[in-house]
Amino acid sequence: MTDKYRILCVCMGNICRSPTARALLLRHLRLTGLQDLVEVESAATHDYHVGKPPDRRAQQALQPFGLDIRDDLARRVSSEDFARFDELLVMDRHNLQHLPPYKPDACRPRVALIMDDLPDYGFSEVPDPYYGGEQGFVQVVDMLDQVAAAICRRLASQLEQASGGR
C-alpha cells in the first residue's frame, strides 16, 4: 500500500454508529502506529441528518475514551465513495441493502459488515441505538472498540505482507 488506505464507516444516519466507529478506529490506528497510513471517514445510507453533528448520547458514550466527535457532520454515501475508498464497512444488513443504488458497476472497494472482522463477538451486526436508551450507546461503543482493534490487527498484517515481512 503506497497511498493511504481509505476506510468509510457506514450506518443509516451517520450520527451514531458510523461516527463512533470512525473515532474508535482512529484511536486504535494511533495506538498501533498506523495513523499515517490509513484514512477513515463516515457516511450515511439515508439523508435524514445530513449536516448535523452526532447524537449527544454517542458523544457522551465516547467521553471515557477521551474522544470528541461533536464536530463530525453527517453526510450521505455517494457514488464517488466507491472510487475513493478501499473499504466500506457497514453496520448492519439493512444499510448494506441500501448501498446498491450508489454502487457503480465496476465496484472497487471491499464492502462488508464491520463485525465480519470480529466473528467471535456473538453479533454479526451493530444494533442501532438511536431509539433506545444510553446503555445501547455504551454497548455499541464496546462492540466498535473491539472490532476497531481487530481491524487494526488485520491492516497491520496486510501492511506487513505488502512490505514482504520487513
Side-chain angles (χ1 to χ4, degrees):
M1 295 184 228
T2 55
D3 292 334
K4 279 193 173 190
Y5 193 78
R6 292 179 174 87
I7 297 173
L8 183 65
C9 300
V10 180
C11 71
M12 184 181 293
N14 194 210
I15 61 166
C16 297
R17 296 172 291 173
S18 57
T20 298
R22 176 186 174 273
L24 290 165
L25 192 48
L26 289 171
R27 174 180 177 267
H28 280 278
L29 288 167
R30 282 189 302 275
L31 292 172
T32 56
L34 299 174
Q35 71 274 7
D36 294 333
L37 303 172
V38 182
E39 177 184 317
V40 185
E41 292 185 26
S42 66
T45 57
H46 294 70
D47 62 1
Y48 304 138
H49 306 287
V50 170
K52 295 184 179 163
D55 187 286
R56 149 194 80 69
R57 297 166 295 175
Q59 293 179 44
Q60 289 173 339
L62 286 169
Q63 284 178 350
F65 292 89
L67 300 173
D68 184 357
I69 60 170
R70 67 180 158 203
D71 292 334
D72 291 1
L73 299 179
R75 75 170 184 88
R76 193 169 186 186
V77 173
S78 69
S79 58
E80 291 81 26
D81 289 330
F82 288 89
R84 239 182 98 219
F85 290 91
D86 298 292
E87 291 188 37
L88 276 72
L89 298 178
V90 184
M91 300 300 134
D92 62 40
R93 284 177 182 79
H94 178 75
N95 302 143
L96 200 56
Q97 292 170 346
H98 281 86
L99 282 178
Y102 307 105
K103 185 176 167 184
D105 291 335
C107 180
R108 178 180 78 89
R110 171 184 181 247
V111 178
L113 291 171
I114 195 167
M115 293 306 288
D116 286 354
D117 273 290
L118 196 62
D120 295 334
Y121 187 85
F123 287 86
S124 61
E125 300 176 291
V126 180
D128 190 346
Y130 186 75
Y131 294 105
E134 291 173 15
Q135 185 55 36
F137 287 85
V138 172
Q139 176 190 13
V140 164
V141 166
D142 177 67
M143 292 176 78
L144 291 173
D145 184 49
Q146 290 186 50
V147 79
I151 292 167
C152 286
R153 287 190 297 273
R154 173 174 55 83
L155 292 173
S157 176
Q158 284 176 261
L159 287 167
E160 185 177 329
Q161 289 175 4
S163 68
R166 287 177 258 153

